[in-house]
Amino acid sequence: MNSLFTYTGSSSFSEFLGVHAPSLLPARNESLAAPVGDEIPHATTIVAATCAGGVVMAGDRRATSGNIISQRDIEKVFRTDDYSCMGIAGTASTGLELARLYRVELEHYEKTEGRSLSTEGKAHRLATMIRGNLPMAMQGLVVVPLFAAYDPARDAGRIFSYDVGGGPYEQKEFHSIGSGSIFARGSLKKLYRENASPQDTVLTCLHALYDAADDDSATGGPDVMRKIWPVVAVITADGFRRLPDDEVAEFVESMLERRMTAPEGPTAPLR
């Protein structure tokens, strides 16, 4: 192997790429330097909530280009390593590229250093990559991720949000991003229960996405006819697990059955 590639001088794959193949980095892609409008598909709503021993993240499946539905089954929640995941909102193509690059970034660090990054380290490494995308964000290619991880040092789930300049900002208990986030967050405020089981927290997140879709046209609800369900991930001490579609379908059917008699969803008890 060429000695040029046997030692990178850094545990960061992004820095290595910036030296040897800078055109592969999103922020260096000059072909996208011109301002863009609504014609590029945008990903919308992601929700996350901590649960007993971990964290749950869920995302709807709709992508929009202006007022047009450009894709009904896009995936916005991605495994980044065995104990973390990220969801994307904003420019879909940039977000997908960032998710793939970040996964390689974590793998590269683990192979070069012989250990995994801490949860804070993972959150800050993602912040650095978002900051590197700032020139493209100024051209309209904005991507804002939501990061969730199981922290073995705390035996608990943690959630981090970002702005276009990086961040990160740790969020307590729950958070949401995207065009429907204000409605999803209102639902989470009502339904979230501290230390609820992962199953109950999955249902809470699905209710939040449903409420977001009810008020935000860019957020897609569960598509029963096409059997397109939200992407749901649960991360605990056992690692990352994406729920299979048939399991998510059972949660959705339970939620919809309840909403047949209570269209606005479950109410929060007053204490």
Side-chain angles (χ1 to χ4, degrees), residues 2 5 8 19 45 60 68 71 76 89 118 125 140 156-157 160 173 176 183 197 205 208 210 227 232 255 265 267:
N2 191 325
F5 298 103
T8 66
V19 171
T45 309
D60 80 306
I68 303 297
Q71 189 170 345
K76 310 171 190 176
S118 66
R125 188 61 63 94
F160 295 85
E173 299 180 336
S176 62
F183 308 111
S197 68
C205 288
Y210 189 96
K227 299 188 183 303
V232 182
M255 176 186 69
T267 58

Side-chain angles (χ1 to χ4, degrees), residues 95-114:
L96 294 171
E97 190 173 2
L98 179 65
R100 288 192 291 265
L101 183 58
Y102 181 58
R103 181 170 59 188
V104 176
E105 178 82 7
L106 296 184
E107 291 176 358
H108 180 78
Y109 180 91
E110 187 171 349
K111 289 177 180 178
T112 56
E113 298 295 321

Side-chain angles (χ1 to χ4, degrees), residues 206-266:
L206 290 175
H207 273 291
L209 286 178
Y210 189 96
D211 285 333
D214 198 35
D215 288 301
D216 172 45
S217 61
T219 303
D223 193 330
V224 177
M225 298 299 293
R226 296 184 178 88
K227 299 188 183 303
I228 300 174
W229 316 110
V231 175
V232 182
V234 179
I235 311 174
T236 64
D238 295 327
F240 173 94
R241 176 176 177 258
R242 172 176 167 164
L243 273 58
D245 282 349
D246 56 352
E247 190 172 340
V248 177
E250 291 180 6
F251 280 107
V252 170
E253 288 169 4
S254 172
M255 176 186 69
L256 294 179
E257 182 179 357
R258 185 167 185 178
R259 284 183 178 257
M260 290 294 290
T261 56
E264 302 303 321

Side-chain angles (χ1 to χ4, degrees), residues 39-84:
E39 66 273 10
I40 292 182
H42 282 67
T44 49
T45 309
I46 305 291
V47 300
T50 58
C51 60
V55 63
V56 173
M57 181 177 286
D60 80 306
R61 304 293 296 276
R62 178 174 292 177
T64 59
S65 299
N67 64 335
I68 303 297
I69 297 174
S70 56
Q71 189 170 345
R72 301 180 187 276
D73 60 352
I74 190 173
E75 299 200 4
K76 310 171 190 176
V77 176
F78 305 95
R79 173 190 176 277
T80 49
D81 70 3
D82 289 341
Y83 295 99
S84 67

